[in-house]
Amino acid sequence: MTNPGTMTTPTILEATAKVEQKVIELRHHLHRHPELSFQEEQTAALVQRELALLPLSDLTPGVYGTGVTALLQGNGSDPRTILLRADMDALPIQEDTGLPFSSEVPGVMHACGHDGHTAILLGAAMVLSELRAHLPGSVKLVFQPAEETEGGAEGMIREGVLENPHVDAAVGLHLWGSVPRGVVEYRSGPLMAAPDVFSIRVIGKGGHAALPHQCIDPVPMAAAIIQQFQTLIARRVDPLESVVLSVCRLEAGTAFNVIPDEVLLEGTVRTLNQEVREAIPGMIEDVLRQVTGIHGGSYHLDYSFRYPPLVNDPAITDLVRKAAEDVLGADRVRKAKQPNMGGEDFAYFARAVPSSFFYLGIAPSEEDLVRHHHPTFRIDDTVLKDGIAVLCRSVFDFFASPLAE
Ligand SMILES: [Zn+2]
Ligand SMILES: [Zn+2]
């Protein structure tokens, strides 16, 4: 039996260098053939084909649709299991990068970097397989569908990916356009927001525009509601808590001289704190009740909680930070200044087990940012090896740590 502490970073980097070219080719292939959420059939088939070449057990396709999982068993001296996760879905965007390996699917593009995440995790699987004699515990590899839409992570957890064997910790990464190329950003505690959504029907009574007194006009009600929402966040929420409430869609009326029956308001609420998150729908309802009450109208509110806030575990985050410093050098590792209000369904893993999610930079420079979900989004292939090495170093360090014992 080998002491995991003896797994040196040069050995990890050497094993990573051996697979780098293949991982880049896999990434280009995935980029050419992007698939939307829950349609990741070819992607999952490729993942399966690659995993089948490795000494893994329990290679399971079809988890919550197109998800794939596999287990790399270590030498058995440590009963713990760490989970590594990648997402596989693309977006309904027409690519405009001019890259030689641009998307061959009209209107579909890997514009968030999930092709890179999938390739990095395949690379990590190759490296860990190569070094498995030195691996004391097990590594569960999770390739999930539908991060961009429905939250494939939640479905996979419901189907049992955190059991058999029981998962003790989880690590994931996102290639990130606002961090310089090859730099890792970590953050303990809240990292990303809960992206909840609402749809409101403001209900009045339509009629002739010249006879408002015979109608209940939903348009001024909607206007008052939108105004009140901003005051609500400013006055009823602790100013030290982060909340965004954006009304993004407004639909009313069909003619300049007809008061409509209803107005539709749709938008999103972003929060970092679960308690605050749960309080917001009640506050929204207070505004709706009051405003529609004054005008004699009514309302219908559909409020749906989507991904939870992504909250990183301090101990696992510290472990990932140290692993990144080891692999990349301390000058390429920094703390994220603040959380951001985007959502990420890795949050479901982080809610269930001690976890850490980190950013791996792809921006050409501090000023020259790469926009996600944009037709010109692009990844620098040189960072793929960095992602692989940081994940593998984190795995070995996890088994060398007393965490969760
Ligand atoms: Zn995205
Ligand atoms: Zn993403």
Side-chain angles (χ1 to χ4, degrees):
M1 199 190 312
T2 321
N3 177 350
T6 64
M7 175 46 61
T8 68
T9 297
T11 307
I12 292 173
L13 292 173
E14 217 171 280
T16 302
K18 271 196 241 165
V19 303
E20 182 183 7
Q21 197 47 43
K22 179 168 188 188
V23 168
I24 291 173
E25 280 159 25
L26 287 169
R27 207 286 278 186
H28 290 183
H29 181 90
L30 291 166
H31 195 82
R32 273 182 205 273
H33 306 284
E35 295 173 298
L36 295 173
S37 303
F38 287 126
Q39 298 171 24
E40 306 94 336
E41 307 280 348
Q42 298 308 317
T43 308
L46 176 143
V47 165
Q48 247 188 102
R49 253 192 331 269
E50 289 302 321
L51 295 180
L53 303 172
L54 303 174
L56 305 172
S57 52
D58 299 340
L59 177 52
T60 313
V63 185
Y64 194 56
T66 46
V68 181
T69 62
L71 190 72
L72 174 62
Q73 281 175 323
N75 64 30
S77 60
D78 192 317
R80 293 175 298 173
T81 299
I82 183 165
L83 181 153
L84 301 179
R85 170 276 205 174
D87 42 11
M88 304 188 288
D89 54 332
L91 288 156
I93 291 174
Q94 178 64 42
E95 178 158 358
D96 186 21
T97 59
L99 287 168
F101 52 89
S102 286
S103 170
E104 292 174 9
V105 185
V108 183
M109 177 190 178
H110 270 295
C112 198
H114 299 188
D115 50 341
H117 305 166
T118 302
I120 287 171
L121 188 51
L122 285 172
M126 294 170 200
V127 169
L128 292 168
S129 293
E130 167 90 17
L131 306 176
R132 74 186 182 284
H134 308 274
L135 193 65
S138 298
V139 182
K140 192 172 277 191
L141 304 160
V142 171
F143 296 82
Q144 74 151 77
E147 192 287 322
E148 297 285 5
T149 55
E150 297 298 318
E154 186 186 25
M156 289 191 88
I157 292 170
R158 269 206 311 274
E159 292 199 7
V161 295
L162 293 178
E163 297 305 325
N164 299 317
H166 174 75
V167 168
D168 299 283
V171 175
L173 66 80
H174 209 300
L175 295 167
W176 210 243
S178 54
V179 176
R181 172 190 299 156
V183 169
V184 159
E185 271 198 3
Y186 65 91
R187 193 174 199 282
S188 182
L191 181 73
M192 295 182 78
D196 299 327
V197 296
F198 62 82
S199 173
I200 296 161
R201 281 167 50 218
V202 182
I203 305 165
K205 197 171 86 180
H208 198 293
L211 303 167
H213 59 293
Q214 293 178 5
C215 306
I216 298 171
D217 190 347
V219 175
M221 284 195 274
I225 286 165
I226 294 167
Q227 296 277 355
Q228 283 301 314
F229 278 173
Q230 301 314 319
T231 318
L232 183 80
I233 301 307
R235 300 291 92 182
R236 285 188 62 188
V237 179
D238 180 340
L240 295 178
E241 293 289 349
S242 303
V243 181
V244 175
L245 192 169
S246 294
V247 176
C248 301
R249 187 155 175 267
L250 180 60
E251 194 183 295
T254 52
F256 75 90
N257 55 0
V258 179
I259 290 173
D261 282 318
E262 291 188 13
V263 173
L264 181 72
L265 303 179
E266 287 183 333
T268 179
V269 174
R270 309 286 170 120
T271 50
L272 295 170
N273 172 320
Q274 184 66 22
E275 251 173 70
V276 173
R277 179 191 195 199
E278 285 170 11
I280 299 288
M283 294 185 196
I284 285 181
E285 192 124 31
D286 287 347
V287 169
L288 297 177
R289 201 181 307 112
Q290 300 281 344
V291 173
T292 57
I294 291 166
H295 293 255
S298 59
Y299 66 91
H300 179 84
L301 168 67
D302 268 324
Y303 195 99
S304 48
F305 288 118
R306 297 186 74 237
Y307 313 161
L310 197 173
V311 183
N312 279 331
D313 177 77
I316 303 292
T317 303
D318 204 43
L319 185 141
V320 167
R321 173 187 63 78
K322 281 192 196 132
E325 285 175 358
D326 232 20
V327 169
L328 306 174
D331 57 327
R332 281 172 60 192
V333 181
R334 65 192 197 189
K335 186 177 172 200
K337 282 195 203 77
Q338 58 217 1
N340 78 69
M341 301 311 270
E344 162 62 56
D345 81 348
F346 183 83
Y348 289 107
F349 294 110
R351 188 172 67 173
V353 296
S355 299
S356 197
F357 192 73
F358 65 93
Y359 301 137
L360 175 57
I362 52 169
S365 73
E366 202 80 61
E367 293 72 37
D368 190 4
L369 308 183
V370 176
R371 270 190 285 172
H372 288 255
H373 293 209
H374 191 271
T376 61
F377 177 84
R378 57 160 78 199
I379 296 169
D380 186 324
D381 286 322
T382 61
V383 307
L384 301 177
K385 64 173 183 328
D386 299 332
I388 295 169
V390 173
L391 288 179
C392 294
R393 181 76 267 174
S394 300
V395 165
F396 282 102
D397 290 351
F398 173 73
F399 292 117
S401 76
L403 290 170
E405 261 177 3

